[in-house]
Structures are given as structure tokens and as C-alpha cells.
Amino acid sequence: MAVEINIFTHVRNICKASLLRICPPCLAALSRALARFHSNTQRQLVLFLNTAHFLTIGVSLALVVAFFLYAVDGRPIKGEDAYASEESEEFLPNVREIVGEIRPGDSLSSSFRSNGVDEEVRETVISAFDGVMDFRDMKPNDRYTLTLDNDGTLLKCLYESGPLEVHAIERTPEGSLAAKKLDVSLDCRTVKLRGRIESSLFAALAAFKEDAKLVYTFADIFASKIDFNTETRFGDTFELVVEKYYKNNEFVGYGKILVARYNSKEVGPLEGFYFDQGGKSAYFDHRGYELGESFIRSPIPMARVSSGFSYNRRHPVLDIVRPHLGIDLAAPMGTPIMATSDGRVKFAGWKGGYGKQIILDHGGGYQTYYGHLSRFANNIKAGAKVRQKQIIGYVGSTGMSTGPHLDYRMAQNGVFANPFNVKFRPRSQLSGTELVLFRQDFQSLTQLASSLDDPKIVVVKNVVVTPENPISML
């Protein structure tokens, strides 16, 4: 079927329909140009096209017009909503952000002043955070972001004192300021590390580029079973399954060590499985025996033995042979020293060649001795109670000493013995319902450890840290 078409009329109609809501000035200019072209030719072009051809030409013309508008305006074509958005943006209030970081020696006032923040804003921030956080606890590397309006009025404040400590001040709908601690979303990735000892446990785990905290925590799990200072051997193997927390893909800390294994040539295979007994957690072997014993083997987990237990050692200062009824543990000056068991301070003071010394009474006839200390921990004095692994003092070189170390001794009923050879009983043993629950956890943890041998398996879960749902890190 043939259709008679006035091309100028239809082009104008197409442009009008396409551009009416987009660019009225462009439409008017194009229409005038077409009209001039029409009058100059002094004739009307008549085409007889079939319907399919007409549709093709119509679509082509629409595309030409669209590209023409893009070239003229230099920007993508916008609808009415876009122009309305541009108009509304002109009425948005202008705000400015001030980002700062606490440097060593800074107070909040000095940090604010160096960033051009008014005293009034500082007082507003402190007042709003009152009862929520205490700026006396701030430390270097704390970060803050202040959002102010044109008049310098505080609209919002974000203060980060750590990956889990994020506080904010925001304006309420009523216009007042409200402060709160923000929830923090973390990814918890459960990973497995395994390796072999070539020189020391510390060096073996350092090869994984893990933090020293992880090494010390792993060693502490077996503190009553093995002394990693003297009893590690070339070829010993280890394995651990640990939680690692990430915030925005950045590592922020370790969670729990869920499974720990150490295969020692000296003391045999060791294993520990994490078990939470309703808020009280500990590590147990597969039988339900707690790994912790009444005494840990060493008061300094990663020290070096510089002199052993002996009845005929040549004294390094006096140059005479006499008994050395203890263990010398060499460590850097100021290294923390732990109580090896619960007890009470019998003596804390100066004692001849031992320099500054602490003597603890643990009951049952047991006493431990800690000599050559540089100083005592707070509240360590005669009669004070101490708990196992509590810091009681710090490594020094007081008294008759050639360098910083700890002289550690143990006596039972007045008879000194090598503290590394004394055998102790387990702290506890699970039974009844607790043993049933532990066995369920033990089976789950064993399966988890086995599954992580497959590199294709990744165990990740999202954790939201809130005041009601806190987490603990190593």
C-alpha cells in the first residue's frame, strides 16, 4: 500500500514529539531551519514509501536528531527530572569536613586548633560526648571527622579510637545533638596455619608474617606442658586454627585459637581444643583434661635459658664452683615476669646477691623465687594475693648479675628442684553434662581443622560488634 507523505511536516512532528520535554530552544531552531529549506526549494517533496521503509527512515532520523543535540550541547541528553535535580542542588546547604588525627603530645584542643576548629565547636563535641566517652583516654593515632555548616555550626562528628571503638555525634530531627557508640561490622575468617620447627617456634610462625601476639598465645596454651625455651627440637611440627578479624578488608586482630597442636620430639604430641563453659573458657585435650596445671613451666614464655639447674656451676661473678639451684632466663631489660601459680607474696624487696627478689608461697609446701628484678609490679608487696600468669615484676640485672635475666627457683618443703622437671596435676577435668558438650565441640572443631586442609574451602562469617554483642581479641 502506498502512502503520500510530506517529509517536512513529518520531520517537524518527529522532532516535536522527541524534543518537546527535552530542549525547547533546540526544537525551535531546528523547525525554523526546516521551514527555510522548504520555502527555498519552492516545491514539496512527495515520497511514496511502503510502511516498513517509512519506519526505518523514521528511526534513522530520530537517531540523527539525538546525536545532533549531543554535539550541540556537549552533554548527554537530560530529561525534565535531571533539570529539576540541578535546580534543587542549588538550594542544598554547603558543608565542610575537617579530618584530623591525634599526634603524640596532642590534646583535643591543640589538635582542633591546628586544624582550624573553633573553641566553641570543641566545647560542643566534649559536651555531646559526655557520659559516652572520655577524652582523657584518647591516644595517638585516634582520628576524627567534623562536619560543619556555613556558619561553623557542628552538624556531625565521628571519632575513631580503634577499629572497634567508633563514636558519633549527630543532629536529631528536633535539632539537638545525640552521641552514641556505633555498631561495627567485621568479617571473621577462620584459617589454619601449620609448619615445622627449624630454629624456634617464634621463627616458625614469623614465616607466616603473623603478629607476635599469636606466637605468645599459642605458647601459653601449652605453658604447663612444654617449655618452648628449652624443649623445642628441630623437626617438631605445629598446627593451629585461629579466627582473624577484618574491617573493610584490613586486618584488625585475632579472635580465638580454636585448635592448637604441637608434636614434640621431647615431650610427645600435645593438643588443645577451645571450650567455653558458660563464660569461663579454657583449653582441654581430647579426654576433657584441662591443659593448664597448677604451675606453668616458665614465668617468661619466650626467654632463653642462659644457665641451668646444677649442683656444681662456676659462678660468673665470684669465679668459684657452687650449686645453682635454679634456672637463669635471659631476656631484654623490662620483660614482664609472670607468677607461675596462684599464691601469696611472702617477700618482695632486696635480698643480697639476688638483688630485687620476690618469693611466692603457693601452699602445699611449694614456694617460687624470682631474682635480679629491675622493679616490682604495682601492688606487689608482702601479703598480697597473686593469680597464675599475673605480672609480678620485670626483668633486670640487680644484685650479683652480669646482664639482664631472671633467676627462677622452686622449692617444695624447703628442698629446691629443677622447675622444668617437676610434674603437676591438671587444673580440672570435665565430667557429666560439660563433658558431653565438650565432646560435641571437639568433634566439630576436629572436622573444621580437617576441612581447612582443602585450599578451596574458606570459612568466613560476618560479625556485628555492638555494646550488647562485644568480641574479645588476643
Side-chain angles (χ1 to χ4, degrees), residues 330-346:
M333 183 74 71
T335 300
I337 299 166
M338 299 185 295
T340 52
S341 185
D342 296 343
R344 187 182 296 273
V345 179
K346 181 178 180 181

Side-chain angles (χ1 to χ4, degrees), residues 138-364:
M138 73 180 189
K139 55 189 181 299
N141 301 321
D142 285 4
R143 295 177 294 176
Y144 58 82
T145 302
L146 302 171
T147 305
L148 310 175
D149 65 13
N150 272 338
D151 298 327
T153 302
L154 181 68
L155 299 176
K156 183 178 180 180
C157 173
L158 193 69
Y159 194 95
E160 298 180 69
S161 52
L164 304 184
E165 298 295 322
V166 184
H167 294 80
I169 300 171
E170 294 180 336
R171 290 221 173 254
T172 65
E174 294 76 25
S176 61
L177 292 172
K180 63 178 180 180
K181 183 176 182 181
L182 299 183
D183 297 345
V184 177
S185 180
L186 301 175
D187 285 334
C188 178
R189 306 176 190 176
T190 303
V191 301
K192 182 176 182 177
L193 305 174
R194 61 194 307 179
R196 190 177 75 149
I197 303 298
E198 294 187 359
S199 58
S200 68
L201 177 65
F202 192 92
L205 277 169
F208 291 95
K209 302 187 184 305
E210 299 293 348
D211 193 279
K213 287 181 184 176
L214 186 63
V215 184
Y216 291 129
T217 304
F218 180 85
D220 188 55
I221 292 173
F222 300 115
S224 62
K225 299 293 185 182
I226 183 173
D227 174 40
F228 286 103
N229 304 305
T230 63
E231 296 177 318
T232 54
R233 298 290 181 267
F234 179 86
D236 287 359
T237 58
F238 66 89
E239 175 184 306
L240 67 153
V241 176
V242 62
E243 299 171 332
K244 299 177 73 173
Y245 286 105
Y246 291 80
K247 181 180 178 181
N248 299 325
N249 284 324
E250 182 179 346
F251 175 72
V252 296
Y254 298 102
K256 299 180 290 290
I257 293 179
L258 301 174
V259 178
R261 292 190 174 107
Y262 191 88
N263 190 16
S264 168
K265 294 180 179 180
E266 182 73 16
V267 300
L270 303 170
E271 60 181 3
F273 300 89
Y274 179 84
F275 182 58
D276 190 334
Q277 307 167 314
K280 181 184 177 183
S281 60
Y283 290 88
F284 297 83
D285 65 16
H286 67 280
R287 302 168 299 173
Y289 285 66
E290 186 176 352
L291 293 191
E293 295 181 349
S294 51
F295 284 81
I296 58 175
R297 292 175 73 83
S298 174
I300 307 176
M302 301 301 292
R304 175 179 61 86
V305 175
S306 57
S307 184
F309 187 92
S310 173
Y311 288 99
N312 53 2
R313 184 193 73 157
R314 182 170 293 278
H315 195 280
V317 176
L318 302 176
D319 195 31
I320 60 174
V321 176
R322 67 178 192 179
H324 181 251
L325 304 181
I327 301 290
D328 284 349
L329 299 170
M333 183 74 71
T335 300
I337 299 166
M338 299 185 295
T340 52
S341 185
D342 296 343
R344 187 182 296 273
V345 179
K346 181 178 180 181
F347 174 83
W350 188 276
K351 201 172 205 52
Y354 296 107
K356 292 182 179 180
Q357 186 184 51
I358 296 173
I359 301 176
L360 301 182
D361 190 332
H362 305 283

Side-chain angles (χ1 to χ4, degrees), residues 403-418:
H405 72 285
L406 170 69
D407 182 299
Y408 174 57
R409 304 184 179 218
M410 177 181 288
Q412 184 179 22
N413 298 322
V415 179
F416 286 91
N418 185 339

